[in-house]
Every structure is written in C-alpha cells, then in structure tokens.
Amino acid sequence: MRYDPSRPAGRLLLTPEDKEAPARARRLGQLGLGDLVDPALDAYADQLAELTGAPYAMVNFVDEQRQFFAGLHLPEVAPAVVVKADGSTPVLGRELARDHGFCPHVVVRRKALVLEDVCDYPRFAGNPVVDEFGIRSYLGAPLIDSTGMVLGTVCVVDVEPRPWGRPGLETIKSSAAELVARLERREADGLPVL
C-alpha cells in the first residue's frame, strides 16, 4: 500500500505495485495491442457479456499508467450510477486509471479474481469504481501469453452483487485462455492481432 496525500482524506491506494508494467507495455506494442479499439475484441466482449449475463464486459490491457479497454461491452441502457455533487454522472469509457478497478490486482496476482459483492472486502470496497460507477461485483482472469507475460484481463462487472461461484470462475478462466490462443495464433500467422 502507499499513501497519496493528494487524494481526498489521504486515501490509501490499495493498487498493488506492478513491476512487470514496462515489459508488458513493450509486449503489447509488439502485438499491436493496448491503444487501439478493436471491433473483434468488442465482439468478444459482447459474447462474454452474453455468456455470463453481465451488463459490462471488457478485454483490458494494462500498461504503466492506465488500463485500456480494447474490447468493451456496455449495456444498451446503463444502470443507475452515482450522481456526483456537481450533478454529473461518470461515464465508463475506453480508459481507466491504474488505481481504479480490480484488473490491476488480477494482473499482479496472475490469477483470476471473483468478487461476488465487493463490499464484503474492505480492500476492494474502497476502490474508486465502487463510488464512481456503483460497481458491486467483479469476475476477471489474466491474459497470460506463452512467454509468461500477463497482457491484461478479461472481465465482467455488475452494479448488483452476483453469485458467480465456481461456474463463473471456470467460465472466465476458459475465456481468457481462449482469447490468448486466438491472439497468439494471429501473431504466429503474421496477421494483425485481431
């Protein structure tokens, strides 16, 4: 943990240190990933949302400074979100700071993470996405390529607690393995990644 005095009330940032971030950024650059929206990855996120019944699904590549959702599924009608003091509501876009969300934890841990209700876990309940977007449940798995590099994650989130259980864990892990295989097949064939 580290202390950031610029955050309101000296909020503790609980995002783990990511020593592989520079190497990951280089690998993502080699693959042509990490900064371009890809319609095929959007379609993959759509399939993942349908498979899990989650309103949000992402293919997320994490570099040194940010998370980039190269694949993103948003609900047609967004669930109610928290209204800020100035009357605005946050909008989920293609980028998110590294200290927001749960994917950076998955990347550093190198294993899947199931949070059926993030509020049950003090470490995760204080994450900015809980307050800003109303996120209440998360299911994510790392995208680990054959070099052993964690490229990012596939994940689904909901604004309601979800009993993901073992079936959810198995689904997200197999989805991550399938996507890595597709990415590497394209690389081996010398084609654009997707």
Side-chain angles (χ1 to χ4, degrees), residues 55-142:
Y56 299 93
M58 298 98 170
V59 176
N60 184 10
F61 298 115
V62 181
D63 67 21
E64 296 169 280
Q65 305 300 320
R66 67 185 174 114
Q67 303 173 68
F68 180 75
F69 303 124
L72 179 62
H73 172 85
L74 299 172
E76 288 183 30
V77 177
V81 293
V82 178
V83 177
K84 294 181 179 182
D86 65 4
S88 67
T89 57
V91 176
L92 181 62
R94 292 283 178 167
E95 292 186 21
L96 200 58
R98 271 198 83 257
D99 67 343
H100 282 55
F102 312 110
C103 291
H105 296 271
V106 172
V107 167
V108 172
R109 290 166 31 117
R110 305 178 64 87
K111 58 184 175 179
L113 179 62
V114 178
L115 300 171
E116 294 182 343
D117 186 342
V118 298
C119 294
D120 289 343
Y121 304 89
R123 175 181 186 134
F124 299 115
N127 193 284
V129 297
V130 176
D131 293 336
E132 292 177 23
F133 298 103
I135 300 302
R136 286 293 301 273
S137 60
Y138 172 90
L139 178 64

Side-chain angles (χ1 to χ4, degrees), residues 35-63:
D35 58 5
L36 297 174
V37 172
D38 190 315
L41 291 176
D42 279 344
Y44 195 85
D46 292 342
Q47 293 169 351
L48 188 57
E50 185 175 329
L51 182 63
T52 61
Y56 299 93
M58 298 98 170
V59 176
N60 184 10
F61 298 115
V62 181
D63 67 21

Side-chain angles (χ1 to χ4, degrees), residues 137-161:
S137 60
Y138 172 90
L139 178 64
L143 296 168
I144 303 174
D145 73 6
S146 60
T147 71
M149 177 64 61
V150 179
L151 303 173
T153 67
V154 292
C155 69
V156 293
V157 298
D158 202 335
V159 295
E160 300 292 333

